[in-house]
């Protein structure tokens, strides 16, 4: 697992095996939009694949919990995450490697169902 800056704790795991996350902001548009509710299943670091939409934390910003797509797998269970909206860069390009703490399983509201694949 990747290490946070000296003196900081590693990114926190999700509090339970399943959580509902509410999306804020446009970084994953058009796949998920501001206000969407997502069903998320907790994962261990290193248990995600490229293309998965995940809930992730950055060791450099442990207070920040983001919904992003796994762009690349890195060493020690870390991932490079990116938003589907190319105009917003609040992802690994700004904060460095991330730790995936959950995998998005489905959208619950307002448009229930599975998420679309990454845009071309």
């Amino acid at each position: 697992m990747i290490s946070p800056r000296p003196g900081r704790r590693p990114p926190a795991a999700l509090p339970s095996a399943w959580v509902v996350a509410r999306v804020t902001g446009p970084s994953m548009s058009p796949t998920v939009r501001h206000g969407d509710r997502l069903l998320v299943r907790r994962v261990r670091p290193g248990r995600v694949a490229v293309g998965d939409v995940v809930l992730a934390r950055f060791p450099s910003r442990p207070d920040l919990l983001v919904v992003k797509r796994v762009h690349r797998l890195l060493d020690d269970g870390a991932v490079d995450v990116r938003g589907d909206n190319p105009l917003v860069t609040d992802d690994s390009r700004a904060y460095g490697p991330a730790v995936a703490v959950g995998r998005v399983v489905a959208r619950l509201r307002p448009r229930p169902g599975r998420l679309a694949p990454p845009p071309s």
Side-chain angles (χ1 to χ4, degrees):
M1 177 150 177
I2 58 178
S3 300
R5 285 191 227 156
R8 291 199 181 185
R9 292 181 289 162
L14 293 178
S16 63
W18 294 91
V19 296
V20 174
R22 183 176 58 88
V23 176
T24 58
S27 69
M28 282 297 291
S29 182
T31 306
V32 293
R33 299 180 186 142
H34 180 81
D36 284 358
R37 302 285 196 279
L38 306 174
L39 179 62
V40 180
R41 184 170 187 179
R42 181 174 52 201
V43 295
R44 292 189 183 123
R47 298 286 190 177
V48 295
V50 170
D52 286 350
V53 177
V54 297
L55 232 54
R57 293 186 190 273
F58 299 101
S60 62
R61 291 281 313 270
D63 56 314
L64 185 63
L65 185 62
V66 297
V67 175
K68 302 290 180 198
R69 191 176 299 276
V70 175
H71 180 72
R72 191 167 39 117
L73 302 176
L74 307 172
D75 295 333
D76 300 328
V79 291
D80 178 62
V81 292
R82 306 274 171 101
D84 285 355
N85 181 344
L87 301 176
V88 182
T89 60
D90 62 343
D91 50 29
S92 289
R93 292 172 286 186
Y95 301 118
V99 175
V101 295
R103 180 184 300 114
V104 174
V105 175
R107 179 183 16 255
L108 300 174
R109 299 184 48 193
R111 300 163 288 135
R114 299 265 182 209
L115 300 183
S120 306

